Amino acid sequence: MVLYEEADVAGSAVNAAFNRRIAAELQGMQEQGVYKTLLHIMGMQGAVVELEEFGETVNLCSNNYVGLCDVPEVVEGVREGAARYGAGTASVRFICGTWDIHRELEDRIADFLETEAAITYTSCWNANEGLFAPLLTDEDALISDALNHASIIDGIRLCKAERHIYKHMDMDALEDALKRTQDKRTRLVMTDGVFSMEGEIAPLPAIRELCDRYDAVLTVDDSHATGVLGDTGRGTPEHFGMHGEVDIITSTLGKALGGMAGGFTASSRPVVDYLVQRSRTQLFTNAMPPHSACGALAAIDYLEAHPERVQKLRANTDYFRRNLVDLGFEPIEGDTPIVPVIIGETAAAMKLSRELLDEGVFVIGFGFPVVPRGEARIRCQVSAAHEIEHLDRALAALDVVGRRLGVI
Ligand SMILES: *Cc1c(COP(=O)(O)O)cnc(C)c1O
């Protein structure tokens, strides 16, 4: 498929040689089968979504893990917030962009995660990007899992601390990095709580033990675990019975907790106060809109009142995994609602995803550079929003398409 006609590219108001180069690179992506096409949802995020391009589909690819995006109490929280606080802040926080509701949400997050304090950002991307550079200098070391999220990688790039990237979840490699950095003032170990492309849970007790032995700061990005793991959705620390044992937690309000824009860093009072002073994604960009803060508060309230949502998510995940294996698929094993099935080549994963869409199931294929070459996959994500009937529909389509393409 030709993406752009030469006449259109050359006729653009943008510099012709530049525009032609960009168009040619996109054409290359298209020819390699790795060009992403955006699909358009018409309505609320939920178990079933209406796609402009494919009609009604069972949604197996959202981070709406406990199904709070369309819960009336949460939507009403946003609506009331907009009525009370208007459209937005029109200022960064340290000038006139901080609302009472920001403080209330931050206290609530700290309470929920059992930390002393928390600070919100417009996204967890911004929380991670603004985390390391203020807290660490070239006197320090930053030790990071090789498969950490892109926002962590970018945050690390902005920081002058000595970098050590350890092999994914390899405790010997982590210990080695800790040994080699003993002359540094501070050693900060950074890991995702749940790795989004594998659905694996970081071995937090072992990492904590190493951090204790080498006097290092343990930082966890719990974006795929907040609202998801543990009996009440308090994340990876709750999963391991390690409340209050993580030095710094970053996470998102944009996944399980209602899916709106927002993220946060939760830690001790001094660490949070330091970020207020120095974190650049706090100082030079607006806070999350007050209505989003209201929605996030409503989401946390709802989850606390309805821990059975977390249990339902677990039951749905067990059901889906079990049946997927019975069909002959070989998903990456794990205890999270992220259920990836490795297909191999990127184009094959994209084809599988495309044919599933035709069968009324919304699943996305991921290839290089999001995951390593040759490990392209489809990633199924289960939600408490699903009823068994939805999961059965998805499994039936996976059966049909999986056989047709020779995956099972
Ligand atoms: C999704 C995600 C983020 C980004 O969250 P946003 O709030 O959408 O910016 C950061 N870290 C991890 C591990 C994530 O999965």
Side-chain angles (χ1 to χ4, degrees):
M1 186 175 85
V2 175
L3 292 173
Y4 307 96
E5 297 300 335
E6 165 60 19
D8 292 336
V9 175
S12 162
V14 170
N15 175 291
F18 170 64
N19 208 34
R20 197 172 283 125
R21 171 169 77 77
I22 297 298
E25 287 184 19
L26 287 166
Q27 187 65 43
M29 293 178 202
Q30 154 74 26
E31 276 150 28
Q32 287 162 37
V34 299
Y35 183 83
K36 297 173 198 57
T37 305
L38 302 183
L39 302 177
H40 301 84
I41 296 176
M42 305 188 294
M44 290 197 201
Q45 183 68 278
V48 170
V49 289
E50 179 78 18
L51 291 177
E52 194 176 78
E53 295 81 359
F54 291 93
E56 188 186 290
T57 55
V58 175
N59 189 356
L60 271 192
C61 56
S62 88
N63 302 316
N64 183 25
Y65 292 116
V66 276
L68 300 192
C69 287
D70 60 356
V71 162
E73 288 88 334
V74 177
V75 178
E76 197 48 35
V78 179
R79 203 196 314 272
E80 279 173 11
R84 176 152 178 216
Y85 294 109
T89 69
S91 174
V92 297
R93 286 187 78 167
F94 81 96
I95 302 181
C96 67
T98 303
W99 266 252
D100 54 356
I101 199 75
H102 289 124
R103 186 182 51 210
E104 194 178 327
L105 174 60
E106 287 158 356
D107 288 348
R108 193 82 174 77
I109 290 167
D111 212 42
F112 185 67
L113 297 181
E114 298 181 43
T115 63
E116 273 170 45
I119 178 174
T120 54
Y121 291 79
T122 43
S123 65
C124 186
W125 185 284
N126 275 347
N128 285 336
E129 193 169 289
L131 179 65
F132 309 114
L135 300 174
L136 306 170
T137 70
D138 57 9
E139 290 178 66
D140 308 308
L142 221 170
I143 303 171
S144 177
D145 187 288
L147 292 192
N148 277 343
H149 189 260
S151 56
I152 295 170
I153 294 170
D154 280 18
I156 290 174
R157 285 182 180 145
L158 298 172
C159 175
K160 298 214 162 53
E162 191 176 287
R163 291 172 206 169
H164 294 262
I165 311 300
Y166 64 94
K167 192 170 161 229
H168 177 51
M169 300 210 313
D170 182 328
M171 294 301 100
D172 292 335
L174 171 56
E175 178 158 23
D176 193 45
L178 285 162
K179 275 188 186 147
R180 281 188 286 135
T181 51
Q182 285 188 59
D183 58 327
K184 292 293 181 184
R185 181 181 60 177
T186 297
R187 285 156 301 285
L188 186 147
V189 174
M190 182 76 208
T191 182
D192 280 11
V194 167
F195 290 87
S196 62
M197 289 298 145
E198 313 359 86
E200 299 158 326
I201 306 175
L204 228 47
I207 300 175
R208 176 73 273 175
E209 211 252 306
L210 285 172
C211 286
D212 287 343
R213 198 180 315 157
Y214 293 92
D215 193 26
V217 177
L218 171 55
T219 304
V220 175
D221 177 343
D222 231 12
S223 289
H224 281 280
T226 304
V228 177
L229 289 191
D231 285 344
T232 60
R234 282 168 167 78
T236 315
E238 184 183 14
H239 175 81
F240 287 113
M242 291 173 61
H243 293 287
E245 291 185 49
V246 175
D247 296 290
I248 302 174
I249 298 171
T250 66
S251 191
T252 184
L253 301 166
K255 292 188 170 113
L257 296 181
M260 59 217 83
F264 60 84
T265 301
S267 186
S268 69
R269 179 52 68 189
V271 168
V272 165
D273 286 347
Y274 202 89
L275 294 171
V276 173
Q277 302 302 315
R278 290 286 168 80
S279 177
R280 288 165 73 83
T281 43
Q282 187 66 219
L283 293 171
F284 302 111
T285 183
N286 286 1
M288 58 188 299
H291 52 76
S292 288
C294 294
L297 265 170
I300 296 173
D301 284 345
Y302 189 88
L303 189 63
E304 281 206 316
H306 298 276
E308 72 277 6
R309 283 262 168 176
V310 182
Q311 310 311 324
K312 184 174 176 198
L313 173 61
R314 196 144 307 145
N316 280 355
T317 302
D318 289 347
Y319 181 85
F320 184 74
R321 276 187 178 277
R322 199 168 357 104
N323 282 284
L324 201 59
V325 170
D326 284 350
L327 289 179
F329 286 95
E330 295 174 6
I332 299 180
E333 283 178 27
D335 294 319
T336 74
I338 300 171
V339 187
V341 181
I342 306 276
I343 304 299
E345 290 315 308
T346 301
M350 298 290 202
K351 187 166 164 55
L352 183 61
S353 150
R354 168 63 213 242
E355 298 205 7
L356 283 167
L357 278 161
D358 284 330
E359 297 286 337
V361 179
F362 194 5
V363 177
I364 292 297
F366 292 92
F368 182 79
V370 179
V371 295
R373 265 187 224 282
E375 292 182 28
R377 63 200 64 183
I378 56 161
R379 182 181 65 171
C380 307
Q381 288 168 286
V382 181
S383 169
H386 293 127
E387 301 303 336
I388 293 299
E389 158 233 338
H390 299 126
L391 297 175
D392 284 345
R393 257 161 80 187
L395 287 159
L398 277 156
D399 188 23
V400 169
V401 178
R403 276 172 208 283
R404 194 192 300 147
L405 299 185
V407 178
I408 50 173

